[in-house]
Amino acid sequence: MTLPEFLTSWDERNLAAHCEIDLFQPEKSGQLTREQRIYFAKIFYHARGHFHDFLWFMGSHAPNHAQKKKIIDNITEEFGGSRSHEELYIDFATSLGADLTRELVQGENYLPWLRDFNRGHLEYLQAHDWDGRLAAFLAYERLDNVDYQDLLRLVESFGVTDPNGLMFFKVHSLVHHFDMANKGDLERIWAARPDVVTDAFDFIAEHQNRMWRRLSEEVFAR
């Protein structure tokens, strides 16, 4: 199997996994109550709002300037232009009537299983060498291309029409973080150690999809 074939197959597996999750089925997510939608905004913040720990680990352990710059460029992009991605997410939450004040610092709804989810990424990075860490980082960035298309449809099913409320998801559904971050690194790793790539990508996909299933269950059970 070539790397492009593997990546295409991986994308398709993730899309298929999403089809089995209630949260990614607009006919179901559109029936969520206002309280459930607010709860989604609060707990989903913690599934995405701690990525800085992942980036800090990567940047702190990068082996050279070029690799450090890759991480710095990613952080710079998170800060955006006039508004950071954090501010765009707050705009989304506000459009649903969700106040994130107690989430940003106190982590009022930072549930134990979400802490485990975020810690799981760091544990994987700690257990692998730079190639394994870089492959996991690139897998996570590629997964954005799959996740945010479905997430945009999800928030549209909530009836969010305010352009400011949708901007966080529109930005992430259009940007190609994987292509920006890769620059031939994955091809290099695949040529020498394809098992490192498949292991990292499989971990990220399985870890992420377990999170989606649990998050969906939490929201619908609210």
Side-chain angles (χ1 to χ4, degrees):
M1 181 182 292
T2 65
L3 177 58
E5 289 170 340
F6 169 74
L7 293 176
T8 298
S9 173
W10 188 80
D11 290 344
E12 290 171 350
R13 291 200 307 272
N14 282 301
L15 286 167
H18 283 193
C19 289
E20 309 218 347
I21 298 171
D22 287 348
L23 202 59
F24 291 131
Q25 297 177 31
E27 67 278 8
K28 294 181 179 179
S29 60
Q31 300 302 312
L32 291 170
T33 66
R34 180 175 184 274
E35 180 189 13
Q36 288 171 317
R37 294 171 186 181
I38 288 173
Y39 187 56
F40 166 80
K42 289 181 176 181
I43 65 173
F44 178 58
Y45 171 79
H46 295 293
R48 291 297 191 184
H50 301 270
F51 187 50
H52 53 79
D53 291 332
F54 194 122
L55 293 175
W56 185 262
F57 189 106
M58 291 291 293
S60 298
H61 295 86
N64 54 54
H65 176 74
Q67 296 294 343
K68 290 180 188 295
K69 187 175 185 305
K70 186 191 302 291
I71 306 305
I72 291 169
D73 288 346
N74 190 286
I75 294 171
T76 300
E77 202 274 332
E78 287 290 326
F79 288 149
S82 60
R83 294 180 68 73
S84 69
H85 291 181
E86 179 94 343
E87 289 173 307
L88 294 179
Y89 189 84
I90 293 170
D91 289 344
F92 158 67
T94 300
S95 76
L96 294 179
D99 181 359
L100 293 189
T101 303
R102 296 194 60 79
E103 301 306 327
L104 303 180
V105 178
Q106 286 86 358
E108 194 170 69
N109 287 280
Y110 194 6
L111 305 175
W113 65 268
L114 278 168
R115 293 181 186 273
D116 290 342
F117 166 72
N118 287 314
R119 185 168 58 248
H121 289 137
L122 301 182
E123 289 173 346
Y124 188 90
L125 298 180
Q126 188 176 53
H128 290 80
D129 63 12
W130 180 250
D131 281 352
R133 294 168 179 173
L134 187 54
F137 170 65
L138 292 171
Y140 198 75
E141 293 291 53
R142 188 176 182 90
L143 200 53
D144 271 2
N145 297 340
V146 176
D147 284 354
Y148 277 101
Q149 295 290 335
D150 284 338
L151 283 165
L152 179 58
R153 283 189 284 271
L154 165 65
V155 299
E156 288 175 338
S157 81
F158 287 174
V160 176
T161 57
D162 180 353
N164 290 331
L166 291 172
M167 190 57 65
F168 174 84
F169 296 95
K170 285 189 172 181
V171 165
H172 284 83
S173 67
L174 293 173
V175 73
H176 296 287
H177 283 149
F178 172 76
D179 294 330
M180 292 165 55
N182 185 21
K183 303 185 189 309
D185 286 306
L186 202 61
E187 289 78 4
R188 173 186 60 78
I189 301 170
W190 179 270
R193 307 166 67 191
D195 57 307
V196 170
V197 175
T198 57
D199 183 79
F201 272 67
D202 287 346
F203 164 74
I204 290 294
E206 291 165 11
H207 195 62
Q208 184 86 343
N209 286 322
R210 278 196 302 272
M211 181 276 290
W212 285 132
R213 288 190 291 271
R214 182 67 183 272
L215 190 146
S216 181
E217 290 166 3
E218 288 275 352
V219 171
F220 277 90
R222 183 69 172 182

